[in-house]
């Protein structure tokens, strides 16, 4: 994926609104830079940092960039407890084995022990089979996977598209911790892949 694509779309929108493109997008280390002149002639700079998703329009995924993924024996009980004790808001759940809860600008994913994928509705990617893990949203999963593999990381699940609008891969770091990296590729409501929207997605 071209990391400058988000900038090109932003520049196109700015031009449609009456701005004039001045420079870019051009690469500057880990960033993409561009500039436009607004209708009053003011120079406006734009920056997109590599690795940060430019489009977070998938309703299934919360806006949080990094999410802990926690395994519970009783997911519905954990949802109720986390809502009551910590003030989390439910974004979605699927049956009694997957859920995402939100708090402020952060989020946590919950999953049960499902090593065989017996409950898979397309929502099991990113939920570890052996224990807790971390999910991180990135702009380009395939590029990120190649980088991790080149650094010696052990890829445990190759990049693949899911029914819930994400392209993901999983990997073990040098300490044996499991990570899943996720890229939003489509906007999917939980009901489209077997989930149920919670209060955080209600109008």
């Amino acid at each position: 994926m071209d990391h400058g694509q988000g900038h090109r779309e932003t520049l196109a929108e700015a031009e449609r609104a009456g701005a004039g493109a001045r420079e870019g997008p051009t690469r500057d280390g880990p960033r993409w830079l561009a500039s436009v002149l607004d209708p009053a002639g003011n120079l406006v700079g734009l920056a997109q940092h590599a690795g940060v998703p430019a489009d977070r329009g998938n309703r299934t995924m919360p806006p949080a960039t990094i999410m802990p993924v926690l395994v519970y024996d009783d997911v519905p009980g954990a949802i109720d407890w986390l809502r009551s004790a910590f003030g989390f808001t439910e974004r979605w759940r699927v049956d009694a084995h997957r859920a995402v809860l939100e708090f402020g600008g952060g989020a946590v994913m919950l999953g049960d022990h499902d090593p065989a994928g017996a409950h898979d509705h397309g929502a099991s990617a990113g939920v570890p089979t052996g224990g807790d893990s971390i999910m991180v949203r990135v702009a380009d999963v395939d590029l990120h996977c190649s980088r991790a593999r080149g650094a010696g990381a052990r890829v445990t699940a190759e990049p693949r598209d899911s029914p819930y609008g994400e392209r993901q891969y999983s990997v073990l770091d040098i300490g044996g911790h499991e990570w899943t990296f996720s890229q939003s590729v489509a906007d999917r409501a939980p009901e489209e892949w077997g989930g149920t929207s919670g209060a955080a997605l209600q109008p």
Side-chain angles (χ1 to χ4, degrees), residues 26 72 138 153:
T26 56
Y72 290 91
V138 297

Side-chain angles (χ1 to χ4, degrees), residues 73-81 93 95-97:
D73 292 329
D74 177 6
V75 171
I79 294 171
D80 291 342
W81 193 90
R93 74 169 72 189
D95 298 334
H97 56 90

Side-chain angles (χ1 to χ4, degrees), residues 9 20 30 42 64 73-74 79 85 88 97 107-109 121 126 138 144 160 168 172 178 184 198:
E9 293 171 357
N42 299 304
D73 292 329
D74 177 6
I79 294 171
F88 277 85
H97 56 90
V108 60
M109 179 176 286
H121 291 275
V138 297
H144 196 280
R160 68 182 179 98
Q168 300 177 327
L172 297 180
E178 187 172 19
S184 293

Side-chain angles (χ1 to χ4, degrees), residues 10 24 32-33 51 68 70-71 88 111 124 157-158 161 179-180 192 202:
T10 301
W32 286 87
L33 300 177
L70 305 177
V71 175
F88 277 85
S124 64
E158 295 291 337
D161 293 343
W179 297 72
T180 293
E192 295 180 55
Q202 301 302 322

Side-chain angles (χ1 to χ4, degrees), residues 3-94:
H3 289 289
Q5 181 62 30
H7 251 43
R8 272 186 278 276
E9 293 171 357
T10 301
L11 287 173
E13 290 180 12
E15 289 177 344
R16 286 193 292 271
R22 177 76 177 272
E23 292 185 288
T26 56
R27 189 68 179 259
D28 177 38
R31 303 175 297 174
W32 286 87
L33 300 177
S35 62
V36 298
L37 290 174
D38 70 13
N42 299 304
L43 183 65
V44 179
L46 304 171
Q48 176 184 333
H49 294 271
V52 178
D55 180 10
R56 296 181 175 178
N58 182 8
R59 283 166 285 173
T60 290
M61 294 296 283
T65 302
I66 300 176
M67 285 183 285
V69 184
L70 305 177
V71 175
Y72 290 91
D73 292 329
D74 177 6
V75 171
I79 294 171
D80 291 342
W81 193 90
L82 291 169
R83 289 171 57 192
S84 174
F86 296 159
F88 277 85
T89 301
E90 182 180 340
R91 187 176 184 88
W92 57 259
R93 74 169 72 189
V94 55

Side-chain angles (χ1 to χ4, degrees), residues 105-132:
V108 60
M109 179 176 286
L110 313 184
D112 63 1
H113 295 278
D114 181 23
H119 309 303
D120 192 0
H121 291 275
S124 64
V127 177
T129 58
D132 302 334

